[in-house]
mmCIF file of all heavy atoms in Angstrom:
data_model
loop_
_atom_site.group_PDB
_atom_site.id
_atom_site.type_symbol
_atom_site.label_atom_id
_atom_site.label_comp_id
_atom_site.label_asym_id
_atom_site.label_seq_id
_atom_site.Cartn_x
_atom_site.Cartn_y
_atom_site.Cartn_z
ATOM 1 N N THR A 116 -16.353 21.295 28.617
ATOM 2 C CA THR A 116 -15.116 20.525 28.831
ATOM 3 C C THR A 116 -15.419 19.041 28.776
ATOM 4 O O THR A 116 -14.683 18.251 28.142
ATOM 5 C CB THR A 116 -14.508 20.877 30.188
ATOM 6 O OG1 THR A 116 -14.278 22.288 30.228
ATOM 7 C CG2 THR A 116 -13.191 20.165 30.375
ATOM 8 N N SER A 117 -16.514 18.602 29.427
ATOM 9 C CA SER A 117 -16.861 17.193 29.415
ATOM 10 C C SER A 117 -17.230 16.716 28.003
ATOM 11 O O SER A 117 -16.848 15.604 27.589
ATOM 12 C CB SER A 117 -18.011 16.917 30.390
ATOM 13 O OG SER A 117 -19.185 17.611 29.972
ATOM 14 N N VAL A 118 -17.926 17.560 27.269
ATOM 15 C CA VAL A 118 -18.260 17.205 25.896
ATOM 16 C C VAL A 118 -17.009 17.052 25.028
ATOM 17 O O VAL A 118 -16.892 16.112 24.251
ATOM 18 C CB VAL A 118 -19.228 18.258 25.262
ATOM 19 C CG1 VAL A 118 -19.360 18.076 23.763
ATOM 20 C CG2 VAL A 118 -20.598 18.199 25.914
ATOM 21 N N LEU A 119 -16.093 17.999 25.198
ATOM 22 C CA LEU A 119 -14.823 17.929 24.417
ATOM 23 C C LEU A 119 -14.069 16.641 24.763
ATOM 24 O O LEU A 119 -13.577 15.967 23.834
ATOM 25 C CB LEU A 119 -13.967 19.166 24.722
ATOM 26 C CG LEU A 119 -14.432 20.470 24.140
ATOM 27 C CD1 LEU A 119 -13.594 21.600 24.693
ATOM 28 C CD2 LEU A 119 -14.338 20.464 22.637
ATOM 29 N N VAL A 120 -13.943 16.332 26.021
ATOM 30 C CA VAL A 120 -13.171 15.168 26.396
ATOM 31 C C VAL A 120 -13.845 13.867 25.928
ATOM 32 O O VAL A 120 -13.201 12.952 25.341
ATOM 33 C CB VAL A 120 -12.987 15.122 27.939
ATOM 34 C CG1 VAL A 120 -12.357 13.806 28.365
ATOM 35 C CG2 VAL A 120 -12.132 16.301 28.375
ATOM 36 N N ASN A 121 -15.173 13.748 26.110
ATOM 37 C CA ASN A 121 -15.887 12.518 25.709
ATOM 38 C C ASN A 121 -15.827 12.350 24.188
ATOM 39 O O ASN A 121 -15.608 11.245 23.691
ATOM 40 C CB ASN A 121 -17.312 12.585 26.214
ATOM 41 C CG ASN A 121 -17.418 12.467 27.682
ATOM 42 O OD1 ASN A 121 -16.587 11.877 28.378
ATOM 43 N ND2 ASN A 121 -18.437 13.059 28.285
ATOM 44 N N TYR A 122 -16.073 13.438 23.462
ATOM 45 C CA TYR A 122 -16.043 13.368 22.026
ATOM 46 C C TYR A 122 -14.655 13.016 21.505
ATOM 47 O O TYR A 122 -14.477 12.307 20.540
ATOM 48 C CB TYR A 122 -16.547 14.677 21.404
ATOM 49 C CG TYR A 122 -16.826 14.617 19.950
ATOM 50 C CD1 TYR A 122 -17.538 13.555 19.394
ATOM 51 C CD2 TYR A 122 -16.396 15.646 19.111
ATOM 52 C CE1 TYR A 122 -17.813 13.530 18.025
ATOM 53 C CE2 TYR A 122 -16.649 15.600 17.735
ATOM 54 C CZ TYR A 122 -17.374 14.563 17.224
ATOM 55 O OH TYR A 122 -17.626 14.520 15.864
ATOM 56 N N LEU A 123 -13.642 13.589 22.153
ATOM 57 C CA LEU A 123 -12.277 13.280 21.775
ATOM 58 C C LEU A 123 -11.967 11.820 21.969
ATOM 59 O O LEU A 123 -11.341 11.177 21.093
ATOM 60 C CB LEU A 123 -11.309 14.122 22.623
ATOM 61 C CG LEU A 123 -9.826 13.826 22.547
ATOM 62 C CD1 LEU A 123 -9.337 14.063 21.112
ATOM 63 C CD2 LEU A 123 -9.047 14.655 23.516
ATOM 64 N N LEU A 124 -12.397 11.208 23.076
ATOM 65 C CA LEU A 124 -12.140 9.796 23.327
ATOM 66 C C LEU A 124 -12.829 8.923 22.284
ATOM 67 O O LEU A 124 -12.260 7.941 21.803
ATOM 68 C CB LEU A 124 -12.613 9.427 24.742
ATOM 69 C CG LEU A 124 -11.845 10.058 25.886
ATOM 70 C CD1 LEU A 124 -12.479 9.684 27.237
ATOM 71 C CD2 LEU A 124 -10.394 9.606 25.890
ATOM 72 N N ILE A 125 -14.032 9.297 21.905
ATOM 73 C CA ILE A 125 -14.757 8.543 20.872
ATOM 74 C C ILE A 125 -14.019 8.608 19.531
ATOM 75 O O ILE A 125 -13.835 7.584 18.862
ATOM 76 C CB ILE A 125 -16.179 9.063 20.742
ATOM 77 C CG1 ILE A 125 -16.980 8.768 22.030
ATOM 78 C CG2 ILE A 125 -16.902 8.403 19.566
ATOM 79 C CD1 ILE A 125 -18.350 9.396 22.076
ATOM 80 N N LEU A 126 -13.572 9.807 19.169
ATOM 81 C CA LEU A 126 -12.885 9.947 17.882
ATOM 82 C C LEU A 126 -11.575 9.225 17.874
ATOM 83 O O LEU A 126 -11.214 8.607 16.854
ATOM 84 C CB LEU A 126 -12.699 11.449 17.596
ATOM 85 C CG LEU A 126 -13.934 12.244 17.209
ATOM 86 C CD1 LEU A 126 -13.640 13.713 17.105
ATOM 87 C CD2 LEU A 126 -14.532 11.733 15.891
ATOM 88 N N ILE A 127 -10.832 9.281 18.967
ATOM 89 C CA ILE A 127 -9.548 8.600 19.022
ATOM 90 C C ILE A 127 -9.754 7.084 18.956
ATOM 91 O O ILE A 127 -9.003 6.358 18.267
ATOM 92 C CB ILE A 127 -8.766 8.997 20.284
ATOM 93 C CG1 ILE A 127 -8.341 10.432 20.174
ATOM 94 C CG2 ILE A 127 -7.574 8.100 20.491
ATOM 95 C CD1 ILE A 127 -7.597 10.946 21.373
ATOM 96 N N GLN A 128 -10.780 6.601 19.629
ATOM 97 C CA GLN A 128 -11.064 5.175 19.570
ATOM 98 C C GLN A 128 -11.457 4.746 18.178
ATOM 99 O O GLN A 128 -11.030 3.687 17.693
ATOM 100 C CB GLN A 128 -12.230 4.849 20.538
ATOM 101 C CG GLN A 128 -12.555 3.355 20.647
ATOM 102 C CD GLN A 128 -13.671 3.081 21.603
ATOM 103 O OE1 GLN A 128 -14.261 4.019 22.142
ATOM 104 N NE2 GLN A 128 -13.960 1.808 21.823
ATOM 105 N N PHE A 129 -12.235 5.590 17.481
ATOM 106 C CA PHE A 129 -12.584 5.277 16.072
ATOM 107 C C PHE A 129 -11.370 5.269 15.180
ATOM 108 O O PHE A 129 -11.201 4.401 14.316
ATOM 109 C CB PHE A 129 -13.578 6.329 15.576
ATOM 110 C CG PHE A 129 -13.942 6.162 14.130
ATOM 111 C CD1 PHE A 129 -14.810 5.170 13.751
ATOM 112 C CD2 PHE A 129 -13.409 7.017 13.172
ATOM 113 C CE1 PHE A 129 -15.185 5.030 12.417
ATOM 114 C CE2 PHE A 129 -13.731 6.868 11.873
ATOM 115 C CZ PHE A 129 -14.646 5.863 11.454
ATOM 116 N N ALA A 130 -10.461 6.239 15.402
ATOM 117 C CA ALA A 130 -9.229 6.301 14.580
ATOM 118 C C ALA A 130 -8.345 5.082 14.832
ATOM 119 O O ALA A 130 -7.803 4.477 13.895
ATOM 120 C CB ALA A 130 -8.479 7.572 14.882
ATOM 121 N N MET A 131 -8.212 4.656 16.079
ATOM 122 C CA MET A 131 -7.403 3.493 16.409
ATOM 123 C C MET A 131 -8.004 2.230 15.846
ATOM 124 O O MET A 131 -7.313 1.355 15.349
ATOM 125 C CB MET A 131 -7.189 3.396 17.932
ATOM 126 C CG MET A 131 -6.404 4.555 18.539
ATOM 127 S SD MET A 131 -6.199 4.395 20.305
ATOM 128 C CE MET A 131 -5.136 2.934 20.386
ATOM 129 N N THR A 132 -9.359 2.136 15.885
ATOM 130 C CA THR A 132 -10.020 0.960 15.277
ATOM 131 C C THR A 132 -9.791 0.937 13.785
ATOM 132 O O THR A 132 -9.552 -0.130 13.208
ATOM 133 C CB THR A 132 -11.520 1.020 15.592
ATOM 134 O OG1 THR A 132 -11.691 1.107 16.993
ATOM 135 C CG2 THR A 132 -12.215 -0.211 15.053
ATOM 136 N N GLN A 133 -9.872 2.105 13.162
ATOM 137 C CA GLN A 133 -9.604 2.163 11.703
ATOM 138 C C GLN A 133 -8.178 1.768 11.362
ATOM 139 O O GLN A 133 -7.969 0.969 10.440
ATOM 140 C CB GLN A 133 -9.891 3.603 11.205
ATOM 141 C CG GLN A 133 -9.795 3.779 9.715
ATOM 142 C CD GLN A 133 -10.037 5.210 9.269
ATOM 143 O OE1 GLN A 133 -9.853 6.144 10.083
ATOM 144 N NE2 GLN A 133 -10.454 5.408 8.053
ATOM 145 N N LYS A 134 -7.237 2.232 12.137
ATOM 146 C CA LYS A 134 -5.830 1.852 11.884
ATOM 147 C C LYS A 134 -5.608 0.366 12.147
ATOM 148 O O LYS A 134 -4.845 -0.304 11.454
ATOM 149 C CB LYS A 134 -4.889 2.708 12.760
ATOM 150 C CG LYS A 134 -4.805 4.163 12.326
ATOM 151 C CD LYS A 134 -3.856 4.909 13.233
ATOM 152 C CE LYS A 134 -3.801 6.387 12.794
ATOM 153 N NZ LYS A 134 -3.200 6.531 11.455
ATOM 154 N N MET A 135 -6.280 -0.155 13.164
ATOM 155 C CA MET A 135 -6.137 -1.572 13.441
ATOM 156 C C MET A 135 -6.692 -2.424 12.302
ATOM 157 O O MET A 135 -6.092 -3.468 11.910
ATOM 158 C CB MET A 135 -6.850 -1.918 14.773
ATOM 159 C CG MET A 135 -6.604 -3.356 15.244
ATOM 160 S SD MET A 135 -7.452 -3.656 16.826
ATOM 161 C CE MET A 135 -6.613 -2.473 17.883
ATOM 162 N N GLY A 136 -7.824 -2.014 11.763
ATOM 163 C CA GLY A 136 -8.355 -2.721 10.617
ATOM 164 C C GLY A 136 -7.449 -2.684 9.403
ATOM 165 O O GLY A 136 -7.310 -3.676 8.679
ATOM 166 N N GLU A 137 -6.802 -1.517 9.171
ATOM 167 C CA GLU A 137 -5.856 -1.417 8.078
ATOM 168 C C GLU A 137 -4.662 -2.344 8.294
ATOM 169 O O GLU A 137 -4.168 -2.989 7.340
ATOM 170 C CB GLU A 137 -5.381 0.033 7.916
ATOM 171 C CG GLU A 137 -6.476 0.981 7.465
ATOM 172 C CD GLU A 137 -6.020 2.424 7.449
ATOM 173 O OE1 GLU A 137 -4.873 2.668 7.877
ATOM 174 O OE2 GLU A 137 -6.791 3.306 7.029
ATOM 175 N N GLN A 138 -4.199 -2.421 9.520
ATOM 176 C CA GLN A 138 -3.054 -3.303 9.804
ATOM 177 C C GLN A 138 -3.411 -4.768 9.631
ATOM 178 O O GLN A 138 -2.624 -5.566 9.121
ATOM 179 C CB GLN A 138 -2.557 -3.046 11.241
ATOM 180 C CG GLN A 138 -1.896 -1.705 11.428
ATOM 181 C CD GLN A 138 -1.500 -1.465 12.856
ATOM 182 O OE1 GLN A 138 -1.740 -2.300 13.729
ATOM 183 N NE2 GLN A 138 -0.877 -0.307 13.128
ATOM 184 N N ILE A 139 -4.631 -5.162 10.031
ATOM 185 C CA ILE A 139 -5.087 -6.533 9.815
ATOM 186 C C ILE A 139 -5.163 -6.868 8.347
ATOM 187 O O ILE A 139 -4.762 -7.971 7.936
ATOM 188 C CB ILE A 139 -6.451 -6.769 10.508
ATOM 189 C CG1 ILE A 139 -6.301 -6.650 12.027
ATOM 190 C CG2 ILE A 139 -7.064 -8.072 10.133
ATOM 191 C CD1 ILE A 139 -7.632 -6.718 12.778
ATOM 192 N N GLU A 140 -5.646 -5.940 7.515
ATOM 193 C CA GLU A 140 -5.709 -6.154 6.066
ATOM 194 C C GLU A 140 -4.305 -6.320 5.510
ATOM 195 O O GLU A 140 -4.055 -7.197 4.644
ATOM 196 C CB GLU A 140 -6.440 -4.998 5.404
ATOM 197 C CG GLU A 140 -7.934 -4.952 5.674
ATOM 198 C CD GLU A 140 -8.647 -6.143 5.107
ATOM 199 O OE1 GLU A 140 -8.214 -6.668 4.070
ATOM 200 O OE2 GLU A 140 -9.652 -6.550 5.726
ATOM 201 N N LEU A 141 -3.348 -5.518 5.981
ATOM 202 C CA LEU A 141 -1.967 -5.642 5.492
ATOM 203 C C LEU A 141 -1.375 -6.989 5.897
ATOM 204 O O LEU A 141 -0.650 -7.618 5.124
ATOM 205 C CB LEU A 141 -1.138 -4.478 6.043
ATOM 206 C CG LEU A 141 -1.462 -3.088 5.484
ATOM 207 C CD1 LEU A 141 -0.604 -2.048 6.222
ATOM 208 C CD2 LEU A 141 -1.188 -3.041 3.976
ATOM 209 N N GLN A 142 -1.683 -7.439 7.116
ATOM 210 C CA GLN A 142 -1.153 -8.740 7.547
ATOM 211 C C GLN A 142 -1.791 -9.890 6.731
ATOM 212 O O GLN A 142 -1.082 -10.874 6.400
ATOM 213 C CB GLN A 142 -1.460 -8.940 9.041
ATOM 214 C CG GLN A 142 -0.637 -8.038 9.954
ATOM 215 C CD GLN A 142 -1.047 -8.196 11.405
ATOM 216 O OE1 GLN A 142 -1.928 -8.981 11.754
ATOM 217 N NE2 GLN A 142 -0.373 -7.441 12.265
ATOM 218 N N LYS A 143 -3.057 -9.773 6.413
ATOM 219 C CA LYS A 143 -3.696 -10.816 5.569
ATOM 220 C C LYS A 143 -3.068 -10.873 4.203
ATOM 221 O O LYS A 143 -2.818 -11.966 3.646
ATOM 222 C CB LYS A 143 -5.190 -10.523 5.458
ATOM 223 C CG LYS A 143 -5.966 -10.786 6.759
ATOM 224 C CD LYS A 143 -7.416 -10.311 6.650
ATOM 225 C CE LYS A 143 -8.169 -11.009 5.539
ATOM 226 N NZ LYS A 143 -9.569 -10.586 5.503
ATOM 227 N N ILE A 144 -2.784 -9.712 3.646
ATOM 228 C CA ILE A 144 -2.167 -9.649 2.297
ATOM 229 C C ILE A 144 -0.762 -10.259 2.370
ATOM 230 O O ILE A 144 -0.330 -11.040 1.482
ATOM 231 C CB ILE A 144 -2.129 -8.234 1.783
ATOM 232 C CG1 ILE A 144 -3.563 -7.733 1.497
ATOM 233 C CG2 ILE A 144 -1.306 -8.133 0.505
ATOM 234 C CD1 ILE A 144 -3.643 -6.261 1.140
ATOM 235 N N ALA A 145 0.002 -9.903 3.416
ATOM 236 C CA ALA A 145 1.334 -10.475 3.568
ATOM 237 C C ALA A 145 1.301 -11.994 3.762
ATOM 238 O O ALA A 145 2.141 -12.713 3.211
ATOM 239 C CB ALA A 145 2.029 -9.796 4.725
ATOM 240 N N LEU A 146 0.303 -12.476 4.519
ATOM 241 C CA LEU A 146 0.191 -13.916 4.727
ATOM 242 C C LEU A 146 -0.175 -14.643 3.458
ATOM 243 O O LEU A 146 0.365 -15.710 3.146
ATOM 244 C CB LEU A 146 -0.864 -14.164 5.817
ATOM 245 C CG LEU A 146 -1.067 -15.626 6.221
ATOM 246 C CD1 LEU A 146 0.224 -16.231 6.807
ATOM 247 C CD2 LEU A 146 -2.197 -15.749 7.258
ATOM 248 N N GLN A 147 -1.084 -14.037 2.675
ATOM 249 C CA GLN A 147 -1.450 -14.648 1.389
ATOM 250 C C GLN A 147 -0.255 -14.682 0.449
ATOM 251 O O GLN A 147 -0.050 -15.674 -0.293
ATOM 252 C CB GLN A 147 -2.620 -13.874 0.758
ATOM 253 C CG GLN A 147 -3.917 -14.060 1.522
ATOM 254 C CD GLN A 147 -5.020 -13.173 0.960
ATOM 255 O OE1 GLN A 147 -4.790 -12.362 0.033
ATOM 256 N NE2 GLN A 147 -6.222 -13.275 1.537
ATOM 257 N N ASP A 148 0.536 -13.615 0.425
ATOM 258 C CA ASP A 148 1.747 -13.621 -0.433
ATOM 259 C C ASP A 148 2.736 -14.675 0.010
ATOM 260 O O ASP A 148 3.413 -15.305 -0.814
ATOM 261 C CB ASP A 148 2.411 -12.239 -0.408
ATOM 262 C CG ASP A 148 1.544 -11.171 -1.075
ATOM 263 O OD1 ASP A 148 0.677 -11.548 -1.873
ATOM 264 O OD2 ASP A 148 1.763 -9.980 -0.771
ATOM 265 N N TRP A 149 2.853 -14.888 1.315
ATOM 266 C CA TRP A 149 3.839 -15.886 1.799
ATOM 267 C C TRP A 149 3.386 -17.324 1.520
ATOM 268 O O TRP A 149 4.175 -18.168 1.168
ATOM 269 C CB TRP A 149 3.940 -15.705 3.344
ATOM 270 C CG TRP A 149 4.944 -16.655 3.964
ATOM 271 C CD1 TRP A 149 6.296 -16.647 3.841
ATOM 272 C CD2 TRP A 149 4.613 -17.759 4.777
ATOM 273 N NE1 TRP A 149 6.871 -17.642 4.548
ATOM 274 C CE2 TRP A 149 5.831 -18.397 5.130
ATOM 275 C CE3 TRP A 149 3.407 -18.310 5.243
ATOM 276 C CZ2 TRP A 149 5.893 -19.545 5.919
ATOM 277 C CZ3 TRP A 149 3.482 -19.435 6.033
ATOM 278 C CH2 TRP A 149 4.700 -20.050 6.362
ATOM 279 N N ILE A 150 2.027 -17.493 1.575
ATOM 280 C CA ILE A 150 1.523 -18.844 1.277
ATOM 281 C C ILE A 150 1.625 -19.120 -0.210
ATOM 282 O O ILE A 150 1.898 -20.234 -0.639
ATOM 283 C CB ILE A 150 0.054 -18.966 1.783
ATOM 284 C CG1 ILE A 150 0.033 -18.891 3.312
ATOM 285 C CG2 ILE A 150 -0.588 -20.252 1.281
ATOM 286 C CD1 ILE A 150 -1.371 -18.895 3.896
#
């Protein structure tokens, strides 16, 4: 149970970091288009 919970938290954190990076890239592209 502890392994499942800890591994799940790590994977979710990795997924959220990946999505945050994608959103930052989209914001940079939108800012470049606006400029």
Side-chain angles (χ1 to χ4, degrees):
T116 305
S117 63
V118 168
L119 288 172
V120 173
N121 292 330
Y122 191 46
L123 171 63
L124 293 175
I125 293 173
L126 287 174
I127 291 178
Q128 184 179 5
F129 176 76
M131 294 180 67
T132 304
Q133 185 181 24
K134 289 181 181 294
M135 187 179 297
E137 293 174 356
Q138 290 177 359
I139 292 174
E140 290 296 328
L141 291 175
Q142 290 176 0
K143 289 172 61 178
I144 293 172
L146 183 61
Q147 290 173 358
D148 292 340
W149 182 70
I150 294 174

